[in-house]
């Protein structure tokens, strides 16, 4: 957490806040008026001013530093780039050395994410070809930061002329203006799903680590589009091939065709749809996650809810569990033929007390209908008038098919980070007699 995240509560914090404030750029000054229109407070921009000596202005205590582009602790990523800028990408810090890693490992995930892959996603023509700039030599990671770049190619900034002056309902135009007082209009800048290229590329590296060291597998699929859903997917058995066999990424072929038809029909009317991605992590060692604030499900929820257009998160039985009694809901324990403690059902979704219990982690993420639509809607202009807006440009009529690799990536990033934290905390020094070693260490270091 940055020093600016905390509220004004002491001289040191206040001094840091204030020093940072006069160093921060014009963007925040511009944001003042829209963020705090009724406070009547003015900020002192004099470089001579020092809080606690001459400055008595109290607006500082309400301000936050704009950040939020980095994620993870041990396996830390930072994404960068705007939709219509030169390119987008990611820097990964903390990747273990000597991991076999090829461009193909990354490209195959980016290909599942890229626009123009089918008639039910945005037709923007981007090949999204990744370049590894650093951190990998001769097909192996070398332990230094890995930088991955994808250059933007197919841009039509003129599609966003109207959006420059009229806010798209439920998009990020108005809030970015409120926060920064300036925004990259074309393509939505960093609010565009193009930002997730960096996450998916980093997720590919995370997946490689998890598969290499723990045989872990992460698979997402579309479970629901509007009111068309499948209940026929076995999370123990579902395969990548079944998921990738159709353009909507639903492994239930009959339901997939209904979803595709609905998206097609809705797209032709200029409207959009939402739905749910379900994701399963298999071969999860017991013991990942931390109690209290950093519970594993809390980390996963934050990761998934940071995806654009996400509106809900569930783990295991989720909200449906509230319709059951305790005796119906509890996952009873038993010992399996290998002597391992298992649960007969998995309503916990593989996590109890914030810590993985060795069962599959099963979660769901709700995505809203795409906000930019080809229908006329009421909105306001940047200059404060009520106006009408019909969205134009190339947009996803339903974000779900492309959201699948994004959910998988965010889940992979959390799990790899938790795995590295667990090793850092619990296996120094290696105490082979400890229970922690027996649950996780046995699988990692046998
Ligand atoms: C895979 C994917 C594709 C998306 N494509 C579009 C799009 O074409 N047009 C659009 O308006 N929003 C699209 N979005 C959603 C916006 O990026 C998002 O709604 C916007 O930044 C506002 O943020 P919020 O919905 O998280 O509040 C997409 C999201 C995802 C996950």
């Amino acid at each position: 957490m940055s020093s600016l995240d905390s509220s004004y509560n002491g001289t040191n914090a206040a001094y840091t806040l204030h020093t940072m404030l006069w160093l921060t750029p014009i963007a925040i000054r511009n944001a003042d008026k829209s963020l705090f229109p009724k406070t009547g407070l003015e900020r002192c921009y004099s470089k001579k001013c020092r809080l606690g000596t001459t400055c008595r202005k109290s607006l500082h205590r309400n301000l936050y530093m704009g950040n939020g582009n980095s994620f993870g602790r041990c396996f830390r990523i930072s994404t960068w780039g705007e939709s219509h800028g030169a390119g987008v990408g990611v820097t990964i810090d903390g990747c273990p050395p000597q991991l076999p890693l090829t461009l193909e490992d990354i490209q195959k995930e980016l290909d599942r994410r890229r626009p123009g892959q089918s008639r039910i996603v945005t037709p923007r023509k981007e090949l999204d070809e990744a370049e590894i700039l650093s951190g990998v030599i001769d097909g192996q990671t070398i332990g230094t930061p890995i930088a991955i770049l994808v250059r933007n190619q197919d841009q039509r900034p003129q599609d966003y002329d109207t959006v420059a002056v009229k806010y798209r309902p439920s998009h990020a135009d108005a809030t970015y203006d409120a926060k920064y007082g300036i925004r990259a209009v074309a393509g939505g800048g960093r609010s565009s799903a193009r930002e997730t290229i960096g996450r998916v590329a980093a997720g590919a590296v995370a997946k490689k680590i998890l598969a290499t060291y723990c045989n872990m597998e992460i698979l997402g699929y579309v479970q629901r589009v509007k009111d068309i859903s499948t209940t026929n997917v076995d999370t123990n058995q579902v395969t990548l091939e079944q998921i990738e066999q159709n353009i909507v990424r639903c492994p239930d072929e009959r339901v997939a065709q209904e979803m595709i038809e609905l998206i097609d029909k809705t797209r032709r009317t200029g409207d959009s749809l939402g739905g749910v991605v379900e994701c399963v992590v298999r071969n999860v060692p017991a013991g990942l996650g931390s109690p209290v604030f950093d519970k594993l499900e809390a980390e996963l929820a934050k990761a998934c809810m940071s995806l654009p257009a996400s509106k809900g998160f569930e783990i295991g039985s989720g909200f449906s569990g509230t319709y059951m009694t305790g005796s119906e809901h509890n996952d009873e324990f038993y010992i399996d033929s290998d002597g391992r403690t298992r649960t007969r059902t998995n309503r916990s979704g593989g996590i109890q007390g914030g810590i993985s219990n060795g069962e599959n982690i099963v979660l769901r993420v709700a995505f809203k209908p795409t906000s930019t639509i080809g229908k006329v809607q009421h909105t306001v202009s940047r200059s404060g008038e009520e106006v009408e807006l019909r969205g134009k440009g190339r947009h996803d009529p339903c974000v779900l098919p492309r959201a699948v690799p994004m959910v998988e990536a965010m889940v992979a990033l959390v799990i790899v980070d938790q795995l590295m934290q667990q090793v850092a905390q619990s296996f120094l020094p290696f105490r082979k007699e400890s229970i922690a070693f027996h649950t996780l260490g046995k699988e990692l270091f046998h």
Side-chain angles (χ1 to χ4, degrees):
M1 183 181 281
S2 95
S3 58
L4 298 189
D5 286 343
S6 55
S7 56
Y8 177 94
N9 60 1
T11 313
N12 284 346
Y15 181 80
T16 317
L17 254 163
H18 188 254
T19 310
M20 297 294 281
L21 271 173
W22 61 256
L23 290 175
T24 42
I26 297 163
I28 290 189
R29 300 182 198 184
N30 291 343
D32 270 6
K33 292 188 200 101
S34 48
L35 266 181
F36 307 109
K38 296 197 179 97
T39 59
L41 294 168
E42 278 173 42
R43 187 185 311 132
C44 177
Y45 292 113
S46 165
K47 290 194 178 177
K48 291 182 193 144
C49 175
R50 292 286 183 278
L51 200 73
T53 54
T54 56
C55 180
R56 294 286 181 269
K57 307 219 164 77
S58 56
L59 181 58
H60 310 147
R61 69 189 67 170
N62 292 325
L63 285 172
Y64 291 81
M65 181 176 167
N67 52 24
N69 298 295
S70 302
F71 184 79
R73 286 186 197 167
C74 293
F75 189 88
R76 186 157 178 81
I77 70 158
S78 299
T79 70
W80 36 265
E82 286 88 28
S83 174
H84 279 51
V88 289
V90 67
T91 307
I92 306 166
D93 203 0
C95 183
Q98 297 182 36
L99 175 80
L101 186 70
T102 63
L103 198 55
E104 172 55 23
D105 291 324
I106 292 159
Q107 195 61 54
K108 68 175 191 237
E109 294 296 338
L110 291 180
D111 289 347
R112 297 172 71 214
R113 195 221 72 93
R114 79 176 177 83
Q117 58 182 271
S118 77
R119 69 178 192 276
I120 57 168
V121 305
T122 166
R124 183 171 166 173
K125 288 271 173 287
E126 292 281 2
L127 290 177
D128 287 351
E129 284 169 346
E131 297 167 45
I132 300 177
L133 304 184
S134 67
V136 181
I137 294 180
D138 295 336
Q140 278 197 86
T141 60
I142 57 168
T144 53
I146 300 172
I148 301 169
L149 163 72
V150 167
R151 290 171 206 273
N152 296 325
Q153 289 171 335
D154 184 16
Q155 303 171 343
R156 287 194 204 157
Q158 66 276 15
D159 284 351
Y160 293 86
D161 288 351
T162 324
V163 173
V165 287
K166 296 179 182 181
Y167 294 136
R168 283 172 293 174
S170 288
H171 212 288
D173 308 329
T175 48
Y176 271 49
D177 257 358
K179 185 172 177 66
Y180 301 112
I182 186 170
R183 78 194 134 98
V185 171
R190 273 185 77 67
S191 74
S192 160
R194 273 197 88 59
E195 179 276 329
T196 66
I197 283 179
R199 307 177 190 222
V200 171
V205 181
K207 277 185 178 180
K208 191 73 190 269
I209 298 170
L210 296 174
T212 307
Y213 290 100
C214 301
N215 200 24
M216 255 191 265
E217 193 180 20
I218 301 176
L219 290 172
Y221 58 90
V222 175
Q223 192 215 27
R224 180 156 70 74
V225 168
K226 197 167 185 279
D227 51 0
I228 300 176
S229 61
T230 176
T231 48
N232 290 332
V233 181
D234 180 352
T235 48
N236 290 309
Q237 304 290 334
V238 66
T239 64
L240 181 63
E241 292 66 37
Q242 289 166 350
I243 293 163
E244 295 297 310
Q245 73 192 349
N246 56 62
I247 55 176
V248 77
R249 298 204 164 86
C250 172
D252 182 337
E253 193 55 37
R254 186 187 57 78
V255 173
Q257 291 316 315
E258 287 179 37
M259 290 173 172
I260 293 167
E261 259 173 54
L262 181 65
I263 298 173
D264 242 345
K265 203 170 96 191
T266 311
R267 178 176 59 88
R268 284 195 293 271
T269 67
D271 218 332
S272 64
L273 297 166
V276 174
V277 169
E278 185 162 78
C279 183
V280 58
V281 191
R282 297 198 286 241
N283 297 327
V284 189
L288 300 186
S290 306
V292 194
F293 299 113
D294 299 337
K295 286 183 167 179
L296 185 53
E297 65 265 51
E299 299 289 316
L300 288 165
K302 176 174 178 178
C304 293
M305 293 292 291
S306 75
L307 284 168
S310 61
K311 277 286 169 238
F313 177 87
E314 284 188 339
I315 186 92
S317 58
F319 284 87
S320 72
T322 60
Y323 296 105
M324 297 177 170
T325 60
S327 59
E328 289 166 339
H329 189 265
N330 284 348
D331 294 319
E332 291 185 277
F333 287 114
Y334 74 102
I335 304 292
D336 75 6
S337 51
D338 297 327
R340 292 192 312 161
T341 301
R342 301 284 312 275
T343 64
R344 291 198 188 281
T345 50
N346 189 18
R347 297 189 186 97
S348 305
I351 302 173
Q352 291 166 339
I355 296 167
S356 63
N357 65 0
E359 302 297 331
N360 290 346
I361 292 176
V362 183
L363 57 89
R364 283 171 294 283
V365 188
F367 288 91
K368 70 184 187 184
T370 320
S371 27
T372 313
I373 53 172
K375 287 185 179 293
V376 176
Q377 294 203 292
H378 297 289
T379 187
V380 297
S381 70
R382 210 166 182 251
S383 49
E385 291 130 9
E386 292 190 349
V387 290
E388 289 187 338
L389 172 72
R390 184 200 299 274
K392 58 176 186 174
R394 299 159 296 173
H395 297 277
D396 291 278
C398 175
V399 307
L400 272 291
R402 296 179 58 217
V404 167
M406 299 177 192
V407 171
E408 291 176 5
M410 291 316 294
V411 170
L413 291 170
V414 170
I415 302 289
V416 85
D417 197 36
Q418 295 294 326
L419 186 68
M420 290 170 74
Q421 287 181 44
Q422 172 70 355
V423 172
Q425 182 184 8
S426 298
F427 302 117
L428 274 178
F430 302 121
R431 286 181 54 226
K432 294 201 171 181
E433 70 280 8
S434 76
I435 291 178
F437 187 89
H438 281 282
T439 50
L440 174 60
K442 213 165 46 178
E443 291 173 51
L444 287 178
F445 301 110
H446 60 91

